[in-house]
Every structure is written in structure tokens, then in C-alpha cells.
Amino acid sequence: MTVVYLVTLGLLACGAAATLYRVGRGPSMLDRAVSLDVLTSLSMCAVGAFAAVSGDYSDLPILLVLSLLGFVGSVSVARYFSGGDR
């Protein structure tokens, strides 16, 4: 189980590094917003993997907060860039 966990963390770290590169080099603000949303998803996966490996599910409210943060952030960015006043 430790090998699977380490491989999972390695892949999540590679994804986070690529995402942080896109945050820094994104040609537009939408690219940066999408990459921050992906980074939120990657952090949710890391918390879920840690909970599965440790067997301690007391950190699951963190997943709830991160999912709400990602949803509200994506909706607000989409609303801002659409130019709607509704």
C-alpha cells in the first residue's frame, strides 16, 4: 500500500507542478483561473488519498470545503468573464 500511495503522491505532485507552471505562464486570465481550479481538484485528491491510506476520515470536511470553494470560484470567474449583470 505504501508504494501505491507514493506513486499517487508523485503523480499528484507532477500535476501540481504543471498546474503551477500554467498559473505563472498562462497567456490569459481564464487559463489562470482554470489552472487554479485544477489545483483545487488536485488538493482534494491528495486529501482523499491521505484519508484512504491512514484510515482516519476526520479530514473529510476539508474535502467538502474545498469542493464548495472550487465550485463557487469557478462560477464567479465564469460570471465575471461573461460580463453578465444578472
Side-chain angles (χ1 to χ4, degrees):
M1 190 66 164
T2 305
V3 174
V4 174
Y5 182 61
L6 290 176
V7 168
T8 302
L9 285 183
L11 291 173
L12 287 173
C14 289
T19 303
L20 288 174
Y21 175 77
R22 182 49 57 193
V23 168
R25 294 282 303 199
S28 70
M29 191 55 103
L30 282 177
D31 289 332
R32 290 183 173 101
V34 168
S35 62
L36 286 176
D37 194 36
V38 169
L39 192 62
T40 303
S41 299
L42 287 172
S43 62
M44 288 173 52
C45 290
V47 170
F50 175 74
V53 166
S54 67
D56 182 26
Y57 299 107
S58 62
D59 292 336
L60 291 183
I62 295 173
L63 289 176
L64 179 66
V65 170
L66 284 174
S67 65
L68 288 173
L69 180 70
F71 173 73
V72 170
S74 297
V75 169
S76 60
V77 165
R79 188 172 171 101
Y80 175 75
F81 282 114
S82 71
D85 271 341
R86 293 178 233 150

